[in-house]
Amino acid sequence: MPKPIVAVVGRPNVGKSTLFNRLTGKRIAIVEDIPGITRDRLYADGDWNGRSYTLIDTGGIQMDQADPLQTQIRVQAEVAMEEADVILLLVDAEDGITAGDRDLADLLRRGSTPLFLVVNKADNVKREQNASEFYELGLGEVHTVAAISGRGVADLLDEVVAAFPPEGEESDADDGTTRIALIGRPNVGKSSMLNAILGEERTIVSPVAGTTRDAIDTYFEWEGHKLLLIDTAGIRRSGKIQGTVEYYSVLRAQRAIERADVAVTVIDSIDGLKDGDKRVAGMAHEAGRASVLVVNKWDEGKQLVMNANPGKNPLHSFTEHLRDEMPFVSYAPVAFCSALKGTGIGAFVETALQAAETHAQRIPTGELNRIVRDATDSRPLNDKGRTFKVRYATMATVKPPTIVLFCNDPEMMHFSYKRYLENQIRKTYAFEGTPVRLFARKADEKKENA
């Protein structure tokens, strides 16, 4: 049985993200005193009295807004309410009842999902007493909390958990799940790609750069594989965003990379490769994630590449350009697609799954030592009359594949020789899609001679 779902809804700036963070015990949603910070649905797991649940944070709903983005935000919140087993309608004790609260109450009253009217910012006795005016909305019991301090939250959770469907076998969504993070500069089509994969409007898509501000988690199955897709905010140069809301979005994107198995760098084929693309791919490389480079908008970019390189295969031309400009991720496969047209999506997902497999691949110890011994015999490393000798090699861990070489003098293994050994290993085990890390450690001579 899947975990019960709790959706937090309300108009802008009533403290939904603060309550979301309080209920999950993590700073996942961005919190800032500016209306409209949260736009998409955020998913996270919570636990209370031994009962696990999934919490959804939604964008602030403004029922009377004609703005297209506000319309999408409202749709996203309505989808969350359809998914939910329990809905928390959050209102603001400081503001009192507003027209927006009344509109939302009218919308929610029509449904059959258990509904809790939660009055936030009731951080003193006077506000708790004044919260009684919210009975006027006709939604039953009024629950007062102060999300920022946690006041009243425990009592609320006791009642919310009691409203869950009967408890059964709850599966662990992370068991056997491949985590794929979609990363890239702003407005390269990451959210459109996620929607193309899922076949539904799961995240907000807008031509305005920077629409996605948080990392959005979406679980689904692909031909028998359990996947978690993480859509992230566009990453720009840190100097341009310091002190802004986007600065925190980039921090979330970095954390998304760190918890992913595969980081997919989305590149806009119309704009061509930019320094920002290299920077984003470099973040994935430094984090040791498996990597895939996905060239999006290829339906339009293909002709531009052909015009710039007449007589050449456009796929080969663009791939060569990527290899020349980003040698540090030469192991990353390149996929071409159009999220808008839906072409190349299946091949891209299969490529990401293969990268995840190699990310977790392990070389048998005997085979690894044979490869390293042959490599050092074929090209010995000598320095000042001394020869670099590897006594023993072992794969210490995977994700990424990490090899430790126990040797006579670790300081002798400079960068170029490390790259040589990596290339020799990749001749037998290609490890396409994943970085390979090599570390030299001083061998225990006494233990060896014992």
Side-chain angles (χ1 to χ4, degrees):
M1 177 182 174
K3 296 176 183 177
I5 294 176
V6 180
V8 182
V9 300
R11 59 184 176 79
N13 214 34
V14 293
K16 295 185 297 300
S17 295
T18 303
L19 181 61
F20 180 84
N21 289 339
R22 172 66 61 179
L23 295 179
T24 59
K26 304 172 185 176
R27 289 190 59 83
I28 299 172
I30 297 173
V31 178
E32 195 163 325
D33 194 21
I34 301 172
I37 290 295
T38 301
R39 295 174 173 177
D40 288 304
R41 287 171 285 163
L42 286 177
Y43 292 72
D45 290 334
D47 184 276
W48 186 254
N49 290 339
R51 191 77 194 270
S52 298
Y53 58 88
T54 297
L55 196 68
I56 309 177
D57 185 21
T58 64
I61 305 174
Q62 295 176 282
M63 302 296 291
D64 58 347
Q65 289 287 327
D67 175 61
L69 186 60
Q70 290 297 336
T71 300
Q72 290 191 58
I73 291 170
R74 186 169 66 249
V75 170
Q76 291 295 318
E78 289 172 353
V79 170
M81 289 186 282
E82 289 177 7
E83 293 180 323
D85 297 294
V86 175
I87 298 172
L88 306 183
L89 171 59
L90 203 62
V91 294
D92 189 328
E94 190 174 7
D95 292 344
I97 298 178
T98 68
D101 295 330
R102 295 183 193 279
D103 289 340
L104 270 173
D106 289 340
L107 173 66
L108 295 171
R109 196 180 291 110
R110 304 170 201 157
S112 58
T113 304
L115 175 65
F116 289 82
L117 176 60
V118 183
V119 183
N120 190 28
K121 306 179 186 178
D123 46 9
N124 56 53
V125 175
K126 183 178 180 181
R127 286 188 179 175
E128 279 191 341
Q129 293 173 343
N130 292 341
S132 60
E133 69 172 300
F134 286 94
Y135 279 103
E136 183 184 329
L137 294 177
L139 297 179
E141 185 69 24
V142 172
H143 304 268
T144 58
V145 301
I148 197 166
S149 66
R151 181 175 181 171
V153 171
D155 292 336
L156 172 65
L157 277 172
D158 285 341
E159 297 197 38
V160 168
V161 169
F164 285 166
E167 188 171 9
E169 291 290 324
E170 294 183 350
S171 61
D172 183 356
D174 286 332
D175 183 26
T177 300
T178 301
R179 297 175 293 275
I180 302 173
L182 300 175
I183 61 176
R185 295 183 296 108
N187 216 32
V188 293
K190 298 183 297 297
S191 295
S192 297
M193 185 172 295
L194 183 144
N195 289 338
I197 296 169
L198 297 174
E200 63 168 303
E201 292 297 314
R202 190 60 184 248
T203 59
I204 293 171
V205 179
S206 166
V208 180
T211 300
T212 301
R213 288 178 173 172
D214 290 285
I216 314 299
D217 287 8
T218 305
Y219 292 96
F220 74 111
E221 285 198 9
W222 179 277
E223 298 182 357
H225 297 278
K226 292 181 179 180
L227 299 182
L228 167 62
L229 277 180
I230 309 169
D231 185 23
T232 64
I235 302 173
R236 292 198 291 177
R237 188 187 302 274
S238 57
K240 293 183 178 181
I241 60 174
Q242 203 76 5
T244 69
V245 170
E246 191 176 351
Y247 171 73
Y248 300 101
S249 297
V250 172
L251 290 182
R252 299 295 192 276
Q254 289 173 329
R255 291 175 186 172
I257 291 171
E258 290 169 359
R259 63 191 175 93
D261 297 306
V262 184
V264 176
T265 302
V266 182
I267 299 167
D268 187 331
S269 64
I270 299 173
D271 287 349
L273 185 66
K274 302 291 185 182
D275 287 341
D277 299 319
K278 301 176 188 178
R279 189 160 49 249
V280 171
M283 289 170 60
H285 175 75
E286 290 299 321
R289 301 303 90 196
S291 284
V292 176
L293 308 178
V294 175
V295 182
N296 191 24
K297 308 179 186 179
W298 188 239
D299 52 320
E300 297 181 60
K302 179 179 179 180
Q303 189 60 51
L304 296 176
V305 175
M306 290 174 67
N307 293 341
N309 302 274
K312 287 189 175 183
N313 183 306
L315 289 171
H316 294 166
S317 294
F318 205 95
T319 301
E320 286 177 5
H321 180 56
L322 296 180
R323 298 301 186 213
D324 290 342
E325 294 294 321
M326 296 195 291
F328 54 91
V329 285
S330 59
Y331 53 81
V334 181
F336 293 80
C337 73
S338 169
L340 189 62
K341 300 287 186 180
T343 57
I345 298 298
F348 143 63
V349 176
E350 290 297 333
T351 301
L353 286 169
Q354 289 169 12
E357 281 189 26
T358 59
H359 195 231
Q361 185 177 1
R362 186 178 291 276
I363 305 175
T365 302
E367 177 73 1
L368 176 62
N369 278 275
R370 184 194 64 76
I371 295 171
V372 172
R373 183 174 61 251
D374 290 348
T376 54
D377 288 347
S378 298
R379 183 177 156 185
L381 174 62
N382 298 299
D383 184 23
K384 298 179 181 178
R386 299 187 66 215
T387 300
F388 177 73
K389 294 181 180 179
V390 177
R391 310 294 187 189
Y392 182 76
T394 184
M395 182 166 272
T397 186
V398 295
K399 296 186 177 183
T402 303
I403 296 168
V404 179
L405 305 176
F406 292 94
C407 57
N408 58 335
D409 187 352
E411 294 184 4
M412 289 182 68
M413 192 175 77
H414 51 72
F415 174 81
S416 62
Y417 201 72
K418 182 186 294 186
R419 174 59 59 86
Y420 161 72
L421 291 177
E422 179 184 334
N423 289 339
Q424 295 304 112
I425 292 170
R426 286 185 183 272
K427 284 182 178 180
T428 305
Y429 292 86
F431 284 116
E432 184 179 24
T434 182
V436 174
R437 292 180 168 175
L438 272 71
F439 296 96
R441 296 285 184 266
K442 176 71 173 175
D444 187 340
E445 302 288 350
K446 291 182 180 179
K447 185 175 181 181
E448 184 176 299
N449 294 329

